[in-house]
């Protein structure tokens, strides 16, 4: 940019204000307006060619605001009286070797608290932080969370080295998974030297702890395509706590509590290697991508107490039909050649609202006869899963260039969706025979359609309330309301 004048200048000689991608014939430039700087992108053809006399240069754009002064401008007078800027000579600087040191770049989700109720006490808190060196060649992601008792903490640290094109890294994590169930059983409690009949409300809480060590390598072909390779070793172990809550059967008041640790199942090991091809040239909008495409083809092999092949093929395409965006997704997830050593492997499940809206609502199954409800529930599980989604998205409130209603505070997106999915396992067959509900091997696709609104809450979380109408072969069901807490796929 030193051989010719382009008409856009910065405040100083060393502050770049323009950048040109010569192959794409595009220009990105900074522009000062309304007391703020913005970056715009245009093509060379967007700038009119105007011949300027060699003895006439307009310095208005390079003048520190305000452009006109009512009094004496001592700041600019002092700057203009200095000697002209000369080229930087390398010999005037002292060279020192670069020594990278980690520094804190970003921290969020810092919170802590203590809760107490009739059934016990617990602690909650979390923190997430990113560290890197000055050049950004090395990055470290750390997170810590606690929800319950001290053994319910989870944490992860990930290191990434991006100094070369072949980037590599590793991760170490400890993650607890908690589930449980409750039931009421008649019992007796020793009170005043005698057995007192009570109703025992029992809570059995199972904790599954995952300790995992992983390494990975990825190589980018471009800014939008890369290949990934990874390997990990994980160990899973259990803890089961039983809470007994004794209630007076006549008055319903709590008369006592006890807690004990039950025998837990034996833990198990799992090792994994994987390779993946990744595509992502999408451009994000208010709460979901606006245009471009995303894709991932991942092949994994699991060893240890579980042995199987995992395949994921996920492709998403976004057509920008301003002001609308038409989004299409096809997803296959499968586990093949499953072999276990005495452990049950949980099947895949598509009843989550980020896969298919409406099938996470218990009323969908409770309002049906037992055989039909069981048939529908079994359709959600399998060793292989195929999902298809179509959405028509409309940016509703947000920036003027994207949305129908301009606002700086509330970003929303309205959608019309149509979802479909099916699962199957070895020995089962796919069909559209919705009447054969007594055949457990008959697998049929399930659908839903409806409307939703995604709300971006200050960039921290995206909330999606939706109203879905499931279709299970017998006509559309009554609409169900639900809430999803994820950005659009």
């Amino acid at each position: 940019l030193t051989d010719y004048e382009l008409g856009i200048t910065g405040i100083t000689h060393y502050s770049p204000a323009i950048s040109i991608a010569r192959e794409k014939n595009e220009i990105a430039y900074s522009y000062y307006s309304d007391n703020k700087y913005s970056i715009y992108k245009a093509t060379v053809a967007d700038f009119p060619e105007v011949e300027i006399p060699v003895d006439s240069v307009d310095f208005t754009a390079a003048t520190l605001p305000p452009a006109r002064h009512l009094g004496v401008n001592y700041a600019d007078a002092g700057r203009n009286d200095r000697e002209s800027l000369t080229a930087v000579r390398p010999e005037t600087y002292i060279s020192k070797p670069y020594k990278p040191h980690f520094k804190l770049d970003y921290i969020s989700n810092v919170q802590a608290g203590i809760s107490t109720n009739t059934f016990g006490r617990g602690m909650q808190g979390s923190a997430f932080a990113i560290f890197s060196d000055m050049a950004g060649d090395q990055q470290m992601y750390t997170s810590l969370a606690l929800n319950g008792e001290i053994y319910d903490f989870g944490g992860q640290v990930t290191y990434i080295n991006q100094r070369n094109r072949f980037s590599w890294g590793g991760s170490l994590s400890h993650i607890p998974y908690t589930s449980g169930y409750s039931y009421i059983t008649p019992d007796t409690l020793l009170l005043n030297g005698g057995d007192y009949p009570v109703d025992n409300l029992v809570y059995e809480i199972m904790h599954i702890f995952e300790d995992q060590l992983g390494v990975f390598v990825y190589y980018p072909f471009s800014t939008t395509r890369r290949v990934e390779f990874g390997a990990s070793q994980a160990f899973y172990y259990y803890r089961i706590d039983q809470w007994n809550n004794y209630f007076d059967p006549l008055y319903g008041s709590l008369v006592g509590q006890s807690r004990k640790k039950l025998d837990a199942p034996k833990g198990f090991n799992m090792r994994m290697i994987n390779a993946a091809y990744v595509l992502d040239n999408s451009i994000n909008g208010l709460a979901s991508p606006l245009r471009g495409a995303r894709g991932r083809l991942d092949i994994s092999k699991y060893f240890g107490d579980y042995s199987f092949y995992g395949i994921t093929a996920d492709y998403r395409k976004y057509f920008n039909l301003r002001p609308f965006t038409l989004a299409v997704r096809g997803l296959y997830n499968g586990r093949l050649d499953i072999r276990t050593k005495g452990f049950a492997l949980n099947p895949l499940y598509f009843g989550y609202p980020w896969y298919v809206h409406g099938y996470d609502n218990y009323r969908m199954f409770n309002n049906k006869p037992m055989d039909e409800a069981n048939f529908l529930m079994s359709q959600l599980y399998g060793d292989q899963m195929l999902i298809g989604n179509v959405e028509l998205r409309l940016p509703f409130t947000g920036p003027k260039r994207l949305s129908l209603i301009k606002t700086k505070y509330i970003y929303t997106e309205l959608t019309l969706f149509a979802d479909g999915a099916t699962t199957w396992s070895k020995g089962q067959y796919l069909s559209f025979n919705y009447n054969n509900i007594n055949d457990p091997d008959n697998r049929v696709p399930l659908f839903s359609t409806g409307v939703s609104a995604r709300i971006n809450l200050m960039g921290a979380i995206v909330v999606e309330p939706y109203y879905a109408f499931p279709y299970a072969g017998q006509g559309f069901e009554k609409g169900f309301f639900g809430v999803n807490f994820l950005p659009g796929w």
Side-chain angles (χ1 to χ4, degrees):
L1 302 180
T2 58
D3 297 331
Y4 53 92
E5 190 66 40
L6 292 176
I8 302 173
T9 60
I11 297 299
T12 69
H13 294 270
Y14 293 145
S15 63
I18 186 169
S19 179
I20 299 178
R22 300 184 187 279
E23 295 181 359
K24 295 184 179 181
N25 202 29
E26 292 181 339
I27 295 176
Y29 62 93
S30 61
Y31 180 74
Y32 181 83
S33 178
D34 195 20
N35 294 323
K36 62 182 179 180
Y37 286 93
S38 303
I39 298 178
Y40 291 88
K41 187 175 73 171
T43 63
V44 175
D46 294 329
F47 295 91
E49 297 183 2
V50 178
E51 184 176 355
I52 300 177
V54 295
D55 58 348
S56 175
V57 179
D58 183 7
F59 288 100
T60 303
T63 303
L64 289 170
R68 296 182 179 181
H69 296 268
L70 298 178
V72 179
N73 184 2
Y74 293 102
D76 284 346
R79 178 176 60 86
N80 296 331
D81 290 341
R82 292 183 300 175
E83 296 181 359
S84 60
L85 194 66
T86 59
V88 177
R89 297 190 301 274
E91 60 271 13
T92 61
Y93 294 88
I94 301 175
S95 299
K96 291 184 178 181
Y98 170 61
K99 296 181 180 181
H101 298 283
F102 279 111
K103 59 179 178 61
L104 179 63
D105 287 343
Y106 176 79
I107 187 169
S108 67
N109 296 340
V110 180
Q111 52 185 316
I114 298 177
S115 64
T116 180
N117 55 43
T118 306
F119 304 106
R121 299 174 180 84
M123 297 177 291
Q124 293 81 34
S126 65
F128 174 77
I130 302 176
F131 302 84
S132 73
D133 58 15
M134 182 181 296
D137 294 335
Q138 301 178 83
Q139 292 183 320
M140 185 164 58
Y141 299 81
T142 61
S143 61
L144 181 67
L146 177 64
N147 186 18
E149 303 197 40
I150 190 65
Y151 51 77
D152 288 317
F153 86 92
Q156 182 176 25
V157 57
T158 301
Y159 169 79
I160 302 177
N161 189 307
Q162 303 178 113
R163 185 173 183 178
N164 300 310
R165 192 166 185 176
F166 249 118
S167 301
W168 58 273
S171 65
L172 179 65
S173 64
H174 170 81
I175 301 176
Y177 301 93
T178 303
S179 62
Y181 63 95
S182 64
Y183 57 92
I184 299 177
T185 181
D187 205 341
T188 58
L189 190 64
L190 183 62
L191 291 175
N192 300 322
D195 292 334
Y196 186 79
V198 293
D199 289 334
N200 185 5
L201 175 58
V202 181
Y203 289 98
E204 291 192 0
I205 310 298
M206 174 179 285
H207 309 269
I208 304 176
F209 303 101
E210 177 196 72
D211 294 338
Q212 186 176 77
L213 174 65
V215 294
F216 55 86
V217 175
Y218 61 89
Y219 182 83
F221 298 114
S222 66
T223 57
T224 61
R225 292 173 172 82
R226 69 179 184 271
V227 290
E228 299 177 355
F229 304 93
S232 66
Q233 165 69 62
F235 179 68
Y236 297 84
Y237 51 99
Y238 300 86
R239 175 190 173 109
I240 302 178
D241 294 305
Q242 184 185 80
W243 293 77
N244 299 288
N245 305 277
Y246 305 106
F247 290 86
D248 187 301
L250 182 60
Y251 300 103
S253 58
L254 181 67
V255 297
Q257 284 182 308
S258 67
R259 173 186 177 183
K260 63 180 178 179
K261 183 179 178 181
L262 303 181
D263 294 335
K266 181 183 177 182
F268 61 93
N269 288 280
M270 184 179 292
R271 296 178 291 277
M272 183 271 292
I273 58 174
N274 79 297
Y277 175 79
V278 182
L279 159 70
D280 190 351
N281 61 6
S282 62
I283 298 177
N284 282 321
L286 306 179
S288 60
L290 285 175
R291 62 182 180 183
R294 289 177 175 176
R296 182 180 184 90
L297 177 61
D298 190 308
I299 300 176
S300 307
K301 172 60 178 175
Y302 291 83
F303 307 88
D305 294 313
Y306 292 102
S307 176
F308 61 91
Y309 290 93
I311 300 177
T312 299
D314 186 351
Y315 184 75
R316 313 167 188 190
K317 182 66 177 178
Y318 313 102
F319 302 92
N320 189 228
L321 312 173
R322 302 182 67 175
F324 298 96
T325 292
L326 178 64
V328 181
R329 175 174 71 172
L331 170 63
Y332 168 80
N333 196 351
R335 297 168 176 171
L336 309 177
D337 193 22
I338 299 175
R339 301 176 185 179
T340 64
K341 296 180 180 180
F343 297 94
L345 182 63
N346 289 333
L348 301 174
Y349 174 72
F350 72 75
Y352 301 112
W354 50 87
Y355 285 149
V356 178
H357 296 82
Y359 286 89
D360 60 326
N361 195 304
Y362 71 93
R363 292 188 292 125
M364 172 67 187
F365 307 97
N366 287 358
N367 293 338
K368 294 182 176 297
M370 184 64 70
D371 54 353
E372 187 176 348
N374 290 338
F375 172 74
L376 282 176
M377 181 64 71
S378 66
Q379 298 292 319
L380 306 181
Y381 298 89
D383 294 333
Q384 300 184 69
M385 179 172 68
L386 184 63
I387 298 174
N389 309 92
V390 178
E391 287 190 359
L392 185 64
R393 301 167 176 170
L394 173 64
F396 187 58
T397 62
K400 182 178 180 180
R401 294 183 62 185
L402 297 178
S403 310
L404 294 182
I405 301 176
K406 179 184 177 182
T407 176
K408 297 181 179 179
Y409 307 104
I410 301 178
Y411 294 172
T412 61
E413 174 185 89
L414 306 180
T415 67
L416 298 174
F417 61 81
D419 305 327
T422 187
T423 63
W424 68 95
S425 299
K426 186 177 180 180
Q428 298 175 336
Y429 60 91
L430 301 178
S431 77
F432 286 89
N433 185 5
Y434 294 91
N435 296 319
N436 191 10
I437 64 175
N438 295 318
D439 186 356
D441 294 331
N442 177 34
R443 314 299 287 189
V444 297
L446 303 179
F447 304 93
S448 77
T449 186
V451 297
S452 72
R454 294 191 176 100
I455 306 170
N456 188 330
L457 300 178
M458 297 178 290
I461 189 174
V462 175
V463 180
E464 181 195 9
Y466 64 86
Y467 198 76
F469 298 89
Y471 178 85
Q474 306 295 333
F476 285 100
E477 305 287 338
K478 182 181 178 181
F480 296 111
F481 175 80
V483 180
N484 195 12
F485 293 92
L486 284 175
W489 44 264

